[in-house]
Amino acid sequence: GSRQIDELLAALPVPEGAQVAMETLSNVASDPRDREVILRRLDWSNLFEYAESTQSPIRAAAMRFLAALADSHDGAKRIITERDGIYLMLTACQPTWKVAIEEAIARKQASYDEAVKYRDEVQVALDGVPISDLNGAFKLRTELAQANLKVNQCATELEGVERRLKSGIEEKNSWDLQKEALRALAAMTEGSEAATSVFVEYGGVSMLHQ
């Protein structure tokens, strides 16, 4: 009822609870009366922020919620079209997860290579310190320990990102997001000439056949 909807909408601005709130609201919106209550009280800018989230599961939940609101509802379709929702749905169908992870791996690899290079330079400097120079040896030996810690930290970070690529979780999340975005586009374009013409204008037809 109305109170449950208010509680769910109140949870929306809090990122930790947003995904569950949007998924529950999507189910609640299947009742036409409840959907009217949601549409009257919803903060659209909040929802659209999640529709652009860099986290695929949150973005997928937002797409699902948009689809539930747009389903056979001209008013909701108009608001979503005016706020460029169709463009967001189309971009959600383009899988960028692999590019993003590969860029992250390249960054972490560069940091690791740099740390190793510096560590080797410190080692060379330490090897060249005369036995009589205790002060210099202590200083460089401490610096070497610090440099090795940095190498270790960079290696751990690199392994973490590589593991994300191997685990396939990002790919699964990406397919899930595409599925929800396609459903949202189908709900938007069904019976709406305005939404359909925007979809076509943005190259939606060629996206479907990619």
Side-chain angles (χ1 to χ4, degrees), residues 1-11 21 24-25 27-29 34 37-38 41:
S2 183
R3 202 158 134 224
Q4 184 206 9
I5 290 169
D6 281 341
E7 281 168 13
L8 289 165
L9 289 173
T24 313
L25 282 163
N27 296 332
V28 173
D34 285 341
V37 176
I38 294 169
R41 300 177 189 174

Side-chain angles (χ1 to χ4, degrees), residues 186-197:
M188 284 295 294
T189 51
E190 192 187 344
S192 168
E193 277 182 31
T196 304
S197 69

